């Protein structure tokens, strides 16, 4: 399935457009996966980083108490940290902190996927370009193009993380769990 989804993204002239269409179709099914382990297995095994970005972006947009129209960028990921709630309905009695832990896990996955799509590859918008355009970009040795929202400071990150920690302590009514603190440090 993951290979077929990856090929479906790649065969379109605009992988960005096809990944949006595929994500729109898959998203309702993600919402109905009952177990965290099953959701994580599906998202972690995705071969298409671009499709994973689109799915996670939709997931966070769905859970955001203050939706945003920003394009996917580091600023949008920070926005999700500040304004997302527990992502999914749970079939079992999962502790509240574990639900937030899952949200942090997916936020880290979104950040890593976004970096793979845009920042890690040596040519501009590598995975957002068609296969033919990629060859031209390789020949031109094009530099990565960053989004406007990718220019964030360490202070922005620190303030959003401190805000998240205080919000979580208020929601949980207890000290911040160590497991969540580790995920937050990794995200930072």
């Amino acid at each position: 399935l993951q290979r077929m989804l990856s090929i479906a993204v790649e065969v379109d002239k605009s992988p960005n457009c096809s990944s949006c269409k595929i994500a729109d179709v898959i998203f309702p099914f993600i919402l109905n996966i009952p177990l965290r382990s099953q959701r994580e297995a599906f998202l972690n095994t995705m071969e298409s980083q671009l499709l994973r970005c689109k799915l996670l972006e939709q997931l966070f947009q769905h859970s955001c108490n203050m939706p945003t129209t920003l394009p996917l960028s580091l600023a949008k990921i920070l926005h999700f940290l500040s304004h997302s709630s527990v992502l999914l309905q749970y079939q079992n009695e999962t502790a509240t902190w574990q639900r937030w832990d899952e949200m942090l896990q997916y936020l880290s996955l979104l950040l890593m996927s976004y970096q793979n799509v845009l920042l890690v590859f040596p040519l501009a918008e590598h995975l957002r370009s068609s296969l033919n355009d990629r060859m031209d970009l390789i020949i031109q040795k094009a530099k990565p193009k960053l989004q406007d929202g990718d220019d964030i400071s360490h202070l922005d990150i620190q303030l959003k993380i401190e805000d998240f920690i205080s919000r979580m302590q208020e929601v949980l009514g207890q000290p911040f769990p160590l497991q969540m603190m580790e995920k937050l440090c990794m995200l930072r």
Side-chain angles (χ1 to χ4, degrees):
L1 173 66
Q2 296 295 8
R3 186 71 188 134
M4 288 171 52
L5 290 172
S6 180
I7 291 169
V9 168
E10 291 294 329
V11 296
D12 198 298
K13 183 170 171 68
S14 171
N16 203 32
C17 184
S18 61
S19 63
C20 287
K21 291 175 187 175
I22 294 169
D24 287 341
V25 172
I26 294 174
F27 180 67
F29 296 104
I30 296 285
L31 291 178
N32 290 314
I33 296 175
L35 298 175
R36 176 180 180 174
S37 60
Q38 293 170 333
R39 287 188 291 271
E40 286 182 357
F42 180 75
L43 291 168
N44 286 332
T45 58
M46 279 201 138
E47 289 185 20
S48 172
Q49 298 288 325
L50 184 57
L51 181 57
R52 182 186 299 156
C53 274
K54 297 297 181 181
L55 272 173
L56 289 169
E57 183 180 11
Q58 277 192 0
L59 196 59
F60 280 103
Q61 195 73 359
H62 174 74
S63 73
C64 213
N65 61 12
M66 217 170 111
T68 179
T69 58
L70 290 171
L72 186 57
S73 61
L74 297 177
K76 189 170 192 174
I77 293 171
L78 279 180
H79 176 84
F80 289 150
L81 179 66
S82 296
H83 298 286
S84 288
S85 60
V86 173
L87 293 173
L88 302 162
Q89 298 299 319
Y90 285 77
Q91 304 287 333
N92 56 7
E93 293 298 318
T94 304
T96 304
W97 77 267
Q98 289 174 318
R99 295 176 185 189
W100 286 99
D101 182 67
E102 182 178 8
M103 189 272 289
L104 283 177
Q105 177 73 27
Y106 293 155
L107 202 58
S108 293
L109 189 59
L110 175 60
L111 178 61
M112 289 186 300
S113 296
Y114 178 68
Q115 288 177 324
N116 282 328
V117 167
L118 189 61
L119 303 175
V120 173
F121 292 101
L123 51 129
E125 299 185 335
H126 177 79
L127 294 177
R128 294 182 183 192
S129 304
S130 69
L131 289 172
N132 292 339
D133 293 344
R134 287 183 209 167
M135 294 310 295
D136 294 339
L137 293 170
I138 290 170
I139 292 167
Q140 296 170 10
K141 297 181 182 174
K143 300 282 185 210
K145 292 180 186 174
L146 299 178
Q147 301 284 341
D148 290 338
D150 287 333
D151 187 22
I152 58 173
S153 70
H154 290 287
L155 181 61
D156 294 333
I157 297 167
Q158 186 62 33
L159 291 174
K160 295 290 185 182
I161 287 179
E162 287 172 6
D163 178 55
F164 179 78
I165 290 171
S166 64
R167 186 169 61 132
M168 283 301 89
Q169 287 175 333
E170 187 178 305
V171 167
L172 299 174
Q174 63 187 29
F176 204 73
L178 181 61
Q179 185 176 352
M180 285 181 67
M181 189 58 85
E182 290 172 358
K183 281 192 173 69
L184 207 51
C185 287
M186 184 175 70
L187 183 64
R188 180 181 298 151

